[in-house]
Amino acid sequence: MSSLDPQTSAALLNPVMGIPGPLPAMLMKDKFGRTITDLRVSITDRCNYKCVYCRTGTEGAQFAELAMQDYLRMIRVFVSLGIQKVRLTGGEPLLRKDIISLVAQLAELRTNPARDPLDIAITTNGHLLAEMAAPLARAGLSRITVSMDAVDPEIFARITRVPGSFEKVLAGVRSAQRAGLGPVKINCVLLRGFNDDQIIPFAQFSREEGVIVRFIEFMPLEEDRLWTPDVVVPLQEVVEKLNRYRPLVALPANNPGETARRYSFNDGLGEIGIIAPVSQAFCGACSRIRLTSDGKIRTCLFSHFDHDLYGVLARGGSDDDLVAFIQKTVEAKEARHHIGEPGFLKPSRSMVHIGG
């Protein structure tokens, strides 16, 4: 990260410095009364994989990425408004050479009003993770999620379109477990007829490797625009297949805004989560807001509009200006998405250009 003068560095490390007045007495809420505590920040539009359900395979990055100190300043302001969890995404965030420094500086932030450490997570494809897991853990990373859509090496390479990718990702998962970032979460997007035969192998993988596997229903967010309802493998079908392998036991949610339905098996070994935004939407408890790599706020994955927070910063806006912009944007957060309904329109950006 580029060097900063001491006063600027102190301001970036202090979530309230530069914002006059008392700390906010309440967490940030939208007009539907939902508390917004989770921020997802894409720090790059670039990716070293070309997964078939995500990218066309012919198009690269389409949106700019900002200097790390710009992300840091915007995150600091979000934290001053009650954000408790920050997840760094992409693209592939580990492609940013200053990511370890960014994590270290985020680890200095404290949340309001409890003043607890910020919960910092990364979602990665895992290709570069083996070498970076330990430094990220030392920098203060709390958790890590790896996108991994098959445990069969040939199927995995067919999905990523990168030969030998499975071995790299598996090494990254194990490295993260050793570094103390476990249990690592594994995200698998299921597509009927493509990798739905991996459900039971993934259950076995969870039990053998000590990771949490989360199956995600395929959403209409891909670059190729190939989504149809028939491709979706719904939650109930996944549950039925897993129960035939070994009886499931439902687990309680970790928090009210958790997106995954959690399960273990009847012997207590392994954990499975199922995220079902298509068949069983969870918009009513949504606690998330997103910041794209070019500094735009997205209030929902399926938004049709960007809100240019970085534009406020680039024009010389103060922290007060950023606060006002964020609060106004959050107030207008959508009630829900409309997947599968007549007249549904896909969002203006695909997932890779929003941040997973």
Side-chain angles (χ1 to χ4, degrees):
M1 182 176 295
S2 59
S3 60
L4 303 171
D5 63 80
Q7 184 176 1
T8 303
S9 294
L12 291 172
L13 294 174
N14 184 336
V16 297
M17 192 170 179
I19 302 177
L23 297 177
M26 298 183 67
L27 297 175
M28 189 162 45
K29 291 181 181 290
D30 66 14
K31 63 185 176 185
F32 302 102
R34 295 172 297 194
T35 302
I36 308 303
T37 56
D38 299 2
L39 174 67
R40 296 197 164 208
V41 182
S42 174
I43 59 174
T44 182
D45 198 40
R46 295 177 289 131
C47 189
N48 47 355
Y49 282 3
K50 298 177 181 178
C51 296
V52 295
Y53 63 85
C54 184
R55 288 193 179 269
T56 62
T58 58
E59 298 180 26
Q62 297 181 21
F63 296 93
E65 56 192 43
L66 307 178
M68 288 298 205
Q69 60 263 36
D70 292 332
Y71 295 121
L72 187 58
R73 182 181 172 194
M74 290 186 284
I75 293 170
R76 174 179 58 80
V77 174
F78 272 107
V79 170
S80 78
L81 292 170
I83 289 295
Q84 299 171 1
K85 301 177 183 179
V86 171
R87 179 173 293 275
L88 303 176
T89 71
E92 172 45 50
L94 299 191
L95 291 174
R96 291 297 301 262
K97 63 180 181 180
D98 290 339
I99 189 170
I100 294 170
S101 177
L102 176 62
V103 169
Q105 294 183 75
L106 291 177
E108 297 294 326
L109 299 181
R110 294 296 179 264
T111 61
N112 297 322
R115 315 299 292 166
D116 292 326
L118 189 65
D119 184 347
I120 309 165
I122 288 176
T123 297
T124 171
N125 61 30
H127 194 83
L128 302 173
L129 185 57
E131 298 79 17
M132 298 180 70
L136 285 166
R138 289 194 295 268
L141 187 68
S142 311
R143 300 175 289 116
I144 200 150
T145 298
V146 178
S147 299
M148 185 176 180
D149 299 303
V151 291
D152 180 288
E154 290 186 6
I155 296 175
F156 190 86
R158 192 165 75 243
I159 292 171
T160 63
R161 294 186 274 209
V162 176
S165 49
F166 176 78
E167 290 75 13
K168 294 280 289 186
V169 175
L170 181 59
V173 170
R174 290 173 173 171
S175 178
Q177 295 275 85
R178 289 193 300 270
L181 294 171
V184 171
K185 290 181 179 177
I186 305 295
N187 280 357
C188 170
V189 178
L190 288 172
L191 285 75
R192 188 177 306 282
F194 198 78
N195 67 340
D196 54 333
D197 62 347
Q198 295 292 288
I199 292 173
I200 302 308
F202 262 121
Q204 296 166 337
F205 186 78
S206 171
R207 293 163 64 84
E208 293 166 2
E209 297 286 340
V211 299
I212 300 170
V213 171
R214 303 194 302 179
F215 297 112
I216 303 175
E217 291 179 347
F218 182 41
M219 294 177 284
L221 288 164
E222 76 292 359
E223 213 170 50
D224 255 347
R225 307 300 190 183
L226 55 81
W227 186 91
T228 67
D230 294 339
V231 182
V232 177
V233 183
L235 177 148
Q236 191 56 44
E237 183 176 333
V238 178
V239 168
E240 289 171 0
K241 288 187 176 182
L242 290 170
N243 266 318
R244 289 197 292 269
Y245 165 67
R246 191 175 188 101
L248 289 174
V249 177
L251 299 175
N254 289 311
N255 57 73
E258 186 165 40
T259 58
R261 305 283 187 95
R262 299 175 60 229
Y263 302 90
S264 186
F265 294 97
N266 63 345
D267 62 354
L269 189 60
E271 182 176 332
I272 303 295
I274 306 175
I275 301 175
V278 179
S279 67
Q280 300 190 30
F282 39 77
C283 304
C286 183
S287 60
R288 295 180 179 179
I289 197 164
R290 298 169 185 268
L291 191 67
T292 63
S293 66
D294 55 343
K296 309 294 197 306
I297 297 175
R298 305 277 295 193
T299 51
C300 174
L301 267 176
F302 295 92
S303 295
H304 290 275
F305 303 101
D306 296 325
H307 305 271
D308 191 4
L309 182 63
Y310 176 67
V312 178
L313 183 155
R315 291 191 294 272
S318 66
D319 282 356
D320 279 344
D321 295 328
L322 297 177
V323 165
F325 188 91
I326 292 168
Q327 289 176 325
K328 181 180 178 181
T329 302
V330 167
E331 174 69 16
K333 181 174 166 64
E334 299 89 337
R336 61 187 181 90
H337 68 66
H338 298 275
I339 298 174
E341 297 179 13
F344 169 74
L345 297 175
K346 293 184 180 181
S348 54
R349 296 195 193 201
S350 57
M351 174 68 92
V352 71
H353 303 305
I354 297 171

